Each structure stands twice: as structure tokens, then as C-alpha cells.
Amino acid sequence: MSRIQRCFKSLASAGFFRSQDDNKLELLSHGREYANLLQQHWLRLRPLAAYLGDSSESSSTSNQHRFSFPQSQQFLTNFRRLLKDHPRKAKCPTLIKHQSSCSSGPGNPLFEIKSPSVLLTTDFLVEPHRALEHFYNMQRESKIWWMRLSSNPSRYRIVPCDVGEELNPKNYQAIDIRSSYAEAGEVTVEHLSLVRMEDDKDFLLPDARTGESVQPTVIRSVIELETATCSLLLDGCDHGRNEQSLLLHRLLAPYQCGIACVESDSELSEDLADLCLHLKHVINHAGLRLCQGSGFASTKDAAHLAEHLLESDMLGVPYTLVLNEKTLKNGLMQLRSRDTRLAETIHISDVPDYLLNIFKN
């Protein structure tokens, strides 16, 4: 079994996705939660954009459609909504964000996604004379965004796409951002396309600097949410370390923190449980995502604790609070890191502020 196959098996057993009879991947509960968090993270990227929500029209990511979108009814509708609902942002340059469904997209060497999938689309309407400058900047920004989410930033690269002989390269440009998994292949996580629009009085915006009406050039970014989700999950598992763990970005981990207590003294087990419930309430109230179920795990000894921590590592939980009977006396506990597998001692009064500071950085 190859390394990538072992990663697929680990992610399936941890409840992130499963492979169906047709070898297409379907997200499970943990995978869907990660996809939701990735979608929210995308919304926070380039926050000045006019967000138009879901569009009713189905889209496609195939090469034959990546340059024809300016002629679509949906693009015209979005442009009119920009003028009507976001008049202050209706200047060049500006950004429009929207979501749509995709019935089928191009496959990749590693996996296919069960339809339908969600497309996260950003349209950057820019001044024609600065179009290439914006296009290169957007490439760089997008690549950096993916690298920051990755456990191995070096796996991402920008790949130019052939636009075909029938299209003028001055008016059409396209690149893909791909994530590489060595001999197993690559996954395209984002499509970027530049289209210089033909003269059309329906698509005019005032230049933010001069106020003169211009025909904007459109740079479109398209991310297939489910494909990107599976790629990042695979990235977090394919880290080359000896330890079994899922190195998800701590802001996107479905569960950011866990609580475990070691009950070596049965007489104090009820008091420990009460303390764990208190910490659960404090952490939830602070807005941090706590592990599912009761919110804490009771372990009998060090071996049982190690087994629980391994399960937490495979769920991608960045930090676990470890309590024992001494915690009841002095208020000290261990904060164990998934990435380093090391623990530091903190006081109960440090929760949740210490954790919140970690997740802010």
C-alpha cells in the first residue's frame, strides 16, 4: 500500500470522506465541517468584495467555459446586482464574490468528487491597462493563501494553461494552482482566468481614480470546494512524519481543542468530571470548537490516555487539555500540542485566554 493510499484509508476511518462504488469521494461529517470552515475562510479572503450569495445557475469549470462566462446571463445578473445593491463598490477595480453548484468538473489523477459540488467564485473587475499587473498579483496572493493553509507549502505551484491558437493571449490568460503529491499526481485547487471584455455598453464602470467610464477586464478565480477540501485533508495527512496525525491548519480544524482526564482514583472521578464540564462550558463560551460528544474523555491510565490522544491527532485536534487528580489541588494541567506532541503546564485560570491567543497568531 502506497503512502497516499494509507492517507486515504486513515481519513476514511476518521470520518472525513469515503470512496463510493464508482471510486468517487463523498464527504462525511468531519469532512463537511471542514468544508464549511474553509468556505467561511474564503469569505474572509479579500473582505472588500461585494458578496452576492448563491446563484441559481449551474456552472462549469471545464476549459471551454472558463473564458465564455462574460457572455452568460448569470454574469450580467451579478453585474447589475453590483450596481444596484453595492453602488459604493461599483467602481473599477472592484470584487464580486458568489457561489454556485457544479454538476461535473474535470477529474484529477488522485480522486473525483461526487456531484454536485460547490464553486466559490471571485470576479475581479480591473482597469484594462493594469489587467496583467492585477492578474500576477492575484496569482501570488492566491498561492500564498493556499500555502498558509498547508502542512507542506512547497507542494503548491502555479501552472500556466494553454488558451489555444484561436484566442489572442493579450486578451485571454489562464493559470491553475496545483497541489502536488509526488508520484501520486496533482490536484488543481484553484482556476484563475483573465478575459478582456469586448465593447459592451452594459458593462461599464467608473475608474476609481479618474471617474472616467471604462470597460473592465475580468479576472475570475474559481475554487471547487469539495475538491479543495479533500486536497487539504490529504495534505494534512501526507506529511512524511512517523507519527500518525492530521496536521490541519488550527483555524480550520473541525475541533480546535479537546479535554482528557486521567482517573487513577475512583473517589475523585466525579470531581474531575465536574471540572471537565466547567472547562467545556468555558471553552464553548469563548467560541472555540470543542471535540464532539460529552466534550471530554475519561481515561484510566497513561496507556489509555495515549490511545485517546492518537485518536485526537487523527481528527486533527490541535490542542488537548489533560487533567488529573493533582489538577483538583493546584489547578495545574497539561496543554498538549498535536504538532509537537509535547505538553506545557498551564493553570486553570489561563483558560480560555491562553488558547484564544494561540489561535489568534
Side-chain angles (χ1 to χ4, degrees), residues 69-70 72-81 202-203:
F69 66 86
S72 69
Q73 182 60 41
Q74 187 60 54
F75 185 78
L76 176 60
T77 299
N78 289 343
F79 188 82
R80 289 173 175 172
R81 287 185 61 190
D202 289 331
F203 296 103

Side-chain angles (χ1 to χ4, degrees), residues 1 9 14 30 46 53 81 92 95 99 102-104 117 123 135 143 155 167 178 180 199 208 269 277 282 306 318 357:
M1 183 182 296
K9 185 177 180 180
H30 299 319
R46 303 182 179 106
R81 287 185 61 190
C92 195
L95 285 160
Q99 301 169 201
C102 176
S103 58
S104 62
S117 59
D123 289 328
F135 188 52
K143 183 183 177 184
R155 72 169 78 246
L167 297 178
R178 296 180 186 174
S180 175
D199 292 337
S269 60
L277 287 174
V282 171
N357 286 332

